[in-house]
């Protein structure tokens, strides 16, 4: 029964869901890491960019692959913080910028979504072709966590070098979690996402005017509307509901075959209750579930330079290396 009792005890201020979430996303200052960018050419003619950082102790055979959340990139504080902590502990890190997220619009009309595990398949294959790493681990945040869990459980042939994975603040049921995000107490977050996503869509419309119209974008006032107009149809789904049903990782977790940890805070207002699937954790010995009382969404601040989830990710992964 891999239900893990959490040891996360935040400072009093960070027991507040909003403070924890906003501080971690906007106010947390993380020292930069030295990175080099590699462009990965994808099989369909598109590209994505990988930001590499390296172990401070010299050549390493251990690599962590990082996946960011909605409207994120490899430079977000939670991504840099995780990369920095692993670099300090002898790991190289490849931080993925999903299609269109590295500061340059991607070539195709499609971009990224919570179920685009085919891109992770190509990233892993590319990294293994370097013949440099004997131990791989995955770490995904929010949308990236859902993509990662889907990849692990949907039947992909996993390389023997892939030893463990950690998902943080992950909406395993995309539709129900979207409904939570659009509740009145979360308007500050959903409104920010809608504004940023619409800006991206206006930019995409200038490149693909035959696929998208300004009036359609302007009419979108919710995340659901954006997913129904663009995210679903641009990626081959019938509509938003079809996208959520086929891409939610909840249906794949029971088939995960390598040690995997999901850390979802009980006070995370972005997540549906079933995004922390207790019954699956009780039946699948490879799936470990940790549900701290606090942490907000990708928060987990503590009285240290690193977050609790940065420490916990390394601790869990090292159990299987």
């Amino acid at each position: 029964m891999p239900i893990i009792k959490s040891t996360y005890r935040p400072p009093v201020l960070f027991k507040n869901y909003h403070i924890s979430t906003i501080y971690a996303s906007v106010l947390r200052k993380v020292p930069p890491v030295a990175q080099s960018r590699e462009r990965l050419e994808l099989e369909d003619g598109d590209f994505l960019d990988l930001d590499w950082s390296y172990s401070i102790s010299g050549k390493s055979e251990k690599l962590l692959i990082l996946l960011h959340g909605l409207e994120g990139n490899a430079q977000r504080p939670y991504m840099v913080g995780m990369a920095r902590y692993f670099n300090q502990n002898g790991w190289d890190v490849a931080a993925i910028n999903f299609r269109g997220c590295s500061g340059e619009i991607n070539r195709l009309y499609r971009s990224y979504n919570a179920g685009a595990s085919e891109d992770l398949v190509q990233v892993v294959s590319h990294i293994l072709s370097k013949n440099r790493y004997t131990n791989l681990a995955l770490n995904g945040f929010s949308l990236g966590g859902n993509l990662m869990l889907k990849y692990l459980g949907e039947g992909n042939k996993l390389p023997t070098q892939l030893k463990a994975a950690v998902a943080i603040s992950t909406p395993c049921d995309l539709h129900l979690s979207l409904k939570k995000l659009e509740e009145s107490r979360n308007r500050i977050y959903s409104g920010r996402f809608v504004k940023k996503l619409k800006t991206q869509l206006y930019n995409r419309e200038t490149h693909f005017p035959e696929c998208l119209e300004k009036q359609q974008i302007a009419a979108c006032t919710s995340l659901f509307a954006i997913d129904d107009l663009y995210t679903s149809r641009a990626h081959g789904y019938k509509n938003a509901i079809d996208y959520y049903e086929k891409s939610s990782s909840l249906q794949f977790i029971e088939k995960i075959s390598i040690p995997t940890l999901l850390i979802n805070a009980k006070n995370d207002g972005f997540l549906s209750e079933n995004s922390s699937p207790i019954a699956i954790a009780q039946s699948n010995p490879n799936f470990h579930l940790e549900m701290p009382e606090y942490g907000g969404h990708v928060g987990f601040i503590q009285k240290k330079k690193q977050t609790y989830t940065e420490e916990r990710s390394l601790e869990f992964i090292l159990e299987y290396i």
Side-chain angles (χ1 to χ4, degrees):
M1 291 179 61
I3 304 292
I4 297 172
K5 185 176 181 180
S6 182
T7 60
Y8 176 53
R9 301 292 181 267
V12 173
L13 185 66
F14 292 105
K15 290 183 178 180
N16 181 282
Y17 153 57
H18 293 293
I19 292 175
S20 179
T21 301
I22 293 171
Y23 180 88
S25 175
V26 179
L27 301 176
R28 183 188 177 203
K29 303 300 180 185
V30 180
V33 295
Q35 291 179 321
S36 61
R37 175 160 292 183
E38 178 186 16
R39 177 149 296 180
L40 175 58
E41 296 291 336
L42 301 171
E43 292 175 355
D44 61 6
D46 210 347
F47 71 92
L48 56 78
D49 291 325
L50 304 175
D51 286 338
W52 290 82
S53 58
Y54 300 97
S55 167
I56 63 172
S57 55
K59 185 177 179 180
S60 177
E61 295 184 346
K62 298 177 292 186
L63 177 75
L64 179 70
I65 300 173
L66 286 177
L67 300 91
H68 63 75
L70 179 65
E71 276 304 282
N73 55 56
Q75 308 310 314
R76 299 290 291 155
Y78 59 86
M79 293 283 281
V80 176
M82 190 69 75
R84 180 179 176 81
Y85 189 64
F86 271 73
N87 291 160
Q88 291 173 335
N89 284 276
W91 288 68
D92 290 353
V93 174
I96 301 174
N97 296 278
F98 295 137
R99 303 188 194 211
C101 294
S102 59
E104 178 181 344
I105 191 168
N106 59 302
R107 298 177 189 132
L108 302 184
Y109 178 57
R110 65 155 293 175
S111 54
Y112 71 99
N113 66 80
S117 51
E118 68 275 9
D119 285 355
L120 181 54
V121 171
Q122 291 188 65
V123 169
V124 172
S125 177
H126 169 69
I127 287 170
L128 289 176
S129 73
K130 297 177 180 290
N131 294 316
R132 179 173 176 177
Y133 299 104
T134 57
N135 292 292
L136 300 183
L138 299 173
N139 190 293
F141 297 88
S142 197
L143 176 148
N146 182 84
L147 188 159
M148 184 198 80
L149 293 173
K150 178 175 178 284
Y151 162 80
L152 292 174
E154 67 184 348
N156 293 299
K157 183 174 175 56
L158 302 181
T160 57
Q161 296 91 333
L162 182 55
K163 301 299 173 56
V166 180
I168 297 167
S169 300
T170 297
C172 299
D173 185 317
L174 296 173
H175 192 201
L176 291 184
S177 293
L178 179 78
K179 288 182 177 181
K180 292 287 291 183
L181 184 54
E182 293 192 331
E183 289 177 355
S184 58
R185 71 166 179 157
N186 287 320
R187 283 177 185 165
I188 185 175
Y189 311 113
S190 59
R192 186 172 180 230
F193 280 134
V194 168
K195 183 177 180 180
K196 292 180 71 175
L197 288 167
K198 287 177 73 170
T199 298
Q200 293 293 329
L201 286 184
Y202 281 122
N203 184 33
R204 196 160 293 276
E205 184 274 335
T206 64
H207 289 79
F208 304 96
E210 72 282 3
C211 300
L212 203 57
E213 298 177 359
K214 287 186 174 68
Q215 303 94 303
Q216 294 175 307
I217 301 169
C220 291
T221 58
S222 68
L223 290 168
F224 181 89
I226 291 172
D227 285 340
D228 204 46
L229 171 66
Y230 172 74
T231 314
S232 59
R233 301 175 197 274
H235 297 94
Y237 300 99
K238 295 176 184 177
N239 50 39
I241 297 298
D242 187 46
Y243 160 54
Y244 300 146
E245 289 180 348
K246 291 178 178 176
S247 298
S248 292
S249 62
L250 187 61
Q251 63 197 300
F252 301 106
I253 293 174
E254 64 182 359
K255 298 292 181 61
I256 289 177
S257 59
I258 68 165
T260 300
L261 172 65
L262 171 62
I263 306 175
N264 278 351
K266 291 182 180 179
N267 74 337
D268 188 338
F270 287 33
L271 306 183
S272 59
E273 185 174 343
N274 65 340
S275 286
S276 297
I278 294 173
I280 298 176
Q282 291 172 330
S283 63
N284 181 353
N286 294 305
F287 178 65
H288 303 249
L289 178 61
E290 181 174 344
M291 298 175 289
E293 292 292 331
Y294 309 102
H297 191 72
V298 194
F300 305 100
I301 303 298
Q302 55 184 358
K303 292 180 179 179
K304 299 180 181 180
K305 291 182 179 179
Q306 63 271 13
T307 65
Y308 173 77
T309 42
E310 288 160 10
E311 288 187 339
R312 189 72 185 91
S313 294
L314 179 64
E315 178 184 51
F316 179 81
I317 290 167
L318 287 179
E319 291 181 34
Y320 303 98
I321 298 297

